[in-house]
Amino acid sequence: MPIKLSKGIGEIQGDELRYIWQAPDVYDEVHDNNVWLIYGRKGSGKSTLVEYLGSDSQNSQVITIRPRKTNLFQKVLVAINEVKDDDRLIEESISNTIEFILFAQIMRSVVGEANKFISGGNLETIYNFLCQYGLHQGSVLRKAISLISKQTGKISLVPDISQLLNTLEGDVEYEDAKDALIEYTKEINKSVVLCIDDIDQIGFSFSRYDRLFVNGLLILMGRNNVNFIESGAKIRIFLTIPSELYFHSTMWGADWITGKSNCLNWDDPKDMLGLVNKRIAMEMNVRKHHKRSKDDIYSIDSDKTWNRIFPTSIKNKLNRDESSFDYLLRHTFYTPRHMLALCDKVLTRIEHEAPADIDLFDLGEQFSLHHWNDIFRKSVREFTEEAEKDFRAIFNNIYENLEKVISAFKSRPGIWNRAQLIQFIEKEGLKISRKDKGIKHESEDLVYILHRIGFLGLGVRRINEAPTGSQAYELKFSYLERLPYKGGWELAVVSPVFYTTYDIRPVDHIIVNPHKDLLLPVRILQSIMSYDIVTNNSLANC
């Protein structure tokens, strides 16, 4: 396909990345060391943020550890299954084991391949420590894993690394090498950032063992970063993690992590449009005439980008005029990966259906409105069906009976008032349980779980902000919030991602836009209130 917007990091040249990247709101906090952990839905741009972090500063050395490039984390998961200690001891051992392996990587990156140092200096201490355990050459991660695995042939969780190393021959102790590393970073005045990214690529089952692994990583990150701050070290451990895994964790002492954590979400559609437009501009080589900075190269002007390959508006299934961008966006979980992939589905369908000589770089006016409507609707249907399968693949691993609960909403309304929804859940006997703990969720507690995973948004009434005869509701969808909402609510709204797969019934042609307030005339509220959960056929004006 001549135009592909959903290129991954590996498909984009390093220099191009910074030109097309749309920095999320949290970036400056991450860059300035005010945030140590970023969580967000898969596809929200966490890995891209890490890549950009490494290219955005001349005063930092960024080391990125990803599961696809090492078998470290898979080996640790196997080791966890063989330990019979209580949870807290296992978490400590996970933290200590991985810490040594990652510190060896940091030390090696600082030393490089050099072998001449000031006698008695910190760099010589670090180098001698690496040499005595054979970590100064070759794959340091592989060698560090082998060192811990030496006695058993497979990695074991080590409660006390120093005690293990003391059983081997060596003049430089582990703690001395760590102290030398801290002092050396202060000497050279250059920060070292170790990023642990994409840990979900291991293939989590969301079991107790997965939870212990995540908890161990959080302890490792938090404890060491606190020590670095106290000692004045210019070292930082930075972790990215999907929301699904982060909320799966139940770490003790989590308060000291929460303050340094932030969610990567895209709650302002203008940011998402800017990101998409930059991708289009790169493909079409649409450059700015007036740059605000050296990296501000590609245009984000929709007239020069979006509107050249997409129509400005379409008619949706309700035969209502709607912005083409908003139409696509509201059928996603508001992540760049989702939005770019959906745009590519539209472009792929165009390529298959368009005449051979059509100019794909200037499509805006080359199709009839009827044809555009058809292309958008088919693309959205295909995408949302795939997204729903991915959704179930993740959350069915966490919650028992989830599929049955969600299927109960099939051919039901997209908007519920509080009393109706609770009554419906209780009458149908809907409940789920978390597999690793056996905790049951039912009634209102079930609503909050469905909100957390993104199936339901919760509507909170806005006072005095609606025209006479109407009522406005602020919608809270988890993928647009820093934390899942858990407070008072009056309406529950099914996320548009699920409308097609579950044949959700719209109420009187009301369009639900997750990022906009929901405005409901009084007659529509009365219609919602009159819905009978037993007959499922008295919802007026549907």
Side-chain angles (χ1 to χ4, degrees):
M1 186 173 64
I3 302 177
K4 181 182 179 184
L5 304 182
S6 59
K7 290 177 179 176
I9 296 172
E11 298 176 88
I12 300 171
Q13 297 293 327
D15 289 341
E16 287 288 315
L17 182 64
R18 66 178 184 269
Y19 301 144
I20 63 171
W21 196 56
Q22 189 77 6
D25 292 340
V26 300
Y27 180 68
D28 287 340
E29 295 180 74
V30 174
H31 188 273
D32 296 337
N33 195 15
N34 293 320
V35 169
W36 301 337
L37 180 144
I38 287 289
Y39 60 93
R41 294 188 86 95
K42 295 182 70 171
S44 58
K46 300 181 297 296
S47 295
T48 308
L49 185 149
V50 168
E51 289 292 326
Y52 198 82
L53 193 66
S55 64
D56 191 33
S57 176
Q58 300 300 315
N59 298 316
S60 296
Q61 181 177 359
V62 177
I63 305 164
T64 304
I65 305 294
R66 291 193 172 102
R68 66 173 179 267
K69 296 182 179 179
T70 173
N71 59 6
L72 164 62
F73 299 136
Q74 288 91 336
K75 287 178 176 289
V76 171
L77 276 176
V78 171
I80 295 171
N81 282 268
E82 299 178 355
V83 179
K84 305 303 180 184
D85 291 330
D86 64 38
D87 287 4
R88 185 159 179 170
L89 289 176
I90 293 174
E91 290 166 1
E92 288 280 0
S93 297
I94 294 168
S95 177
N96 293 335
T97 303
I98 299 178
E99 178 197 283
F100 169 72
I101 296 170
L102 297 182
F103 263 74
Q105 177 71 62
I106 295 173
M107 292 177 188
R108 171 68 175 281
S109 297
V110 167
V111 171
E113 298 293 335
N115 57 15
K116 293 182 180 179
F117 315 110
I118 298 174
S119 179
N122 288 311
L123 201 57
E124 183 182 44
T125 300
I126 299 168
Y127 181 70
N128 289 339
F129 174 79
L130 295 174
C131 286
Q132 71 189 22
Y133 296 113
L135 301 170
H136 62 300
Q137 293 178 334
S139 170
V140 65
L141 288 180
R142 180 172 55 80
K143 289 195 170 186
I145 293 170
S146 298
L147 185 64
I148 291 179
S149 308
K150 197 166 188 178
Q151 297 175 350
T152 62
K154 57 184 177 180
I155 198 168
S156 300
L157 300 185
V158 182
D160 189 338
I161 290 292
S162 294
Q163 184 178 20
L164 169 69
L165 296 179
N166 286 340
T167 64
L168 308 173
E169 293 184 4
D171 297 326
V172 183
E173 294 186 358
Y174 176 48
E175 294 300 326
D176 292 336
K178 284 203 297 183
D179 290 343
L181 175 65
I182 288 172
E183 291 304 315
Y184 182 70
T185 61
K186 289 191 284 186
E187 288 174 12
I188 62 175
N189 197 32
K190 183 175 182 178
S191 64
V192 178
V193 184
L194 177 77
C195 299
I196 305 174
D197 184 40
D198 276 353
I199 61 172
D200 57 307
Q201 290 187 358
I202 302 172
F204 284 92
S205 60
F206 295 90
S207 65
R208 166 179 175 259
Y209 304 106
D210 296 338
R211 174 166 46 82
L212 294 176
F213 171 75
V214 173
N215 290 351
L217 278 183
L218 293 176
I219 293 167
L220 161 70
M221 175 205 66
R223 178 178 293 158
N224 279 286
N225 284 342
V226 169
N227 291 338
F228 294 148
I229 288 175
E230 291 177 346
S231 63
K234 296 181 72 64
I235 307 175
R236 175 172 34 136
I237 296 176
F238 175 66
L239 179 65
T240 69
I241 186 169
S243 300
E244 300 85 352
L245 277 179
Y246 182 56
F247 295 135
H248 182 59
S249 65
T250 53
M251 191 188 70
W252 48 271
D255 289 348
W256 47 276
I257 292 292
T258 304
K260 285 289 191 175
S261 303
N262 215 327
C263 179
L264 179 52
N265 59 10
W266 296 78
D267 54 3
D268 187 344
K270 291 180 182 177
D271 293 334
M272 186 73 76
L273 179 59
L275 182 146
V276 174
N277 281 346
K278 281 188 177 181
R279 291 291 180 102
I280 296 172
M282 181 180 71
E283 293 292 322
M284 302 171 67
N285 197 28
V286 180
R287 296 177 177 250
K288 285 187 173 182
H289 295 298
H290 304 288
K291 298 189 296 183
R292 292 175 297 177
S293 67
K294 62 183 178 65
D295 294 340
D296 186 32
I297 290 179
Y298 290 117
S299 175
I300 59 171
D301 183 344
S302 292
D303 285 337
K304 298 177 181 178
T305 53
W306 180 273
N307 297 343
R308 285 185 60 184
I309 60 175
F310 297 118
T312 56
S313 65
I314 62 163
K315 283 192 179 294
N316 57 35
K317 288 196 300 183
L318 302 176
N319 203 34
R320 297 268 299 276
D321 287 328
E322 185 174 0
S323 155
S324 61
F325 176 81
D326 282 350
Y327 177 75
L328 295 184
L329 181 62
R330 71 181 174 88
H331 287 96
T332 71
F333 285 122
Y334 283 62
T335 67
R337 184 183 301 172
H338 268 181
M339 188 61 187
L340 293 168
L342 182 48
C343 288
D344 277 350
K345 282 199 174 293
V346 174
L347 292 171
T348 299
R349 190 169 294 278
I350 290 171
E351 185 185 23
H352 290 162
E353 298 183 9
D357 59 349
I358 197 167
D359 182 4
L360 288 176
F361 284 93
D362 204 0
L363 292 168
E365 305 296 329
Q366 298 188 47
F367 286 95
S368 68
L369 180 58
H370 174 76
H371 198 178
W372 273 122
N373 296 340
D374 185 59
I375 289 171
F376 268 64
R377 293 177 194 176
K378 287 179 179 177
S379 300
V380 162
R381 171 180 287 276
E382 183 180 337
F383 175 83
T384 54
E385 288 175 349
E386 292 174 2
E388 189 274 338
K389 287 179 183 177
D390 291 341
F391 175 90
R392 283 190 288 111
I394 292 174
F395 290 108
N396 280 344
N397 280 325
I398 305 176
Y399 297 108
E400 192 80 48
N401 213 39
L402 178 64
E403 194 159 350
K404 178 182 177 182
V405 168
I406 294 178
S407 295
F409 286 84
K410 186 168 288 188
S411 300
R412 296 278 181 171
I415 304 173
W416 299 70
N417 72 45
R418 185 188 187 110
Q420 283 173 340
L421 182 57
I422 300 299
Q423 181 187 5
F424 172 69
I425 289 173
E426 292 177 350
K427 180 181 181 301
E428 296 292 319
L430 301 180
K431 63 185 69 174
I432 60 177
S433 61
R434 187 161 150 171
K435 291 182 177 180
D436 66 319
K437 290 188 169 184
I439 300 175
K440 290 185 178 180
H441 301 281
E442 52 192 333
S443 192
E444 187 171 356
D445 190 32
L446 175 58
V447 174
Y448 285 119
I449 293 297
L450 295 177
H451 162 70
R452 170 182 281 190
I453 64 180
F455 183 78
L456 290 180
L458 301 179
V460 181
R461 184 183 298 193
R462 285 196 180 276
I463 307 299
N464 300 325
E465 291 192 20
T468 303
S470 299
Q471 181 59 58
Y473 293 87
E474 178 187 1
L475 297 183
K476 295 183 179 294
F477 285 87
S478 62
Y479 44 87
L480 294 177
E481 302 289 326
R482 299 294 185 189
L483 290 169
Y485 178 72
K486 193 160 187 179
W489 56 279
E490 296 181 48
L491 293 178
V493 181
V494 178
S495 170
V497 176
F498 301 94
Y499 282 13
T500 297
T501 307
Y502 292 94
D503 188 30
I504 299 299
R505 299 168 60 190
V507 179
D508 195 49
H509 289 61
I510 294 294
I511 295 175
V512 173
N513 247 320
H515 64 272
K516 295 181 180 179
D517 285 353
L518 183 63
L519 188 64
L520 297 177
V522 171
R523 63 180 180 82
I524 301 300
L525 284 170
Q526 292 172 343
S527 174
I528 293 172
M529 293 289 291
S530 70
Y531 171 63
D532 188 333
I533 63 172
V534 176
T535 61
N536 192 32
N537 62 5
S538 61
L539 191 61
N541 300 315
C542 278

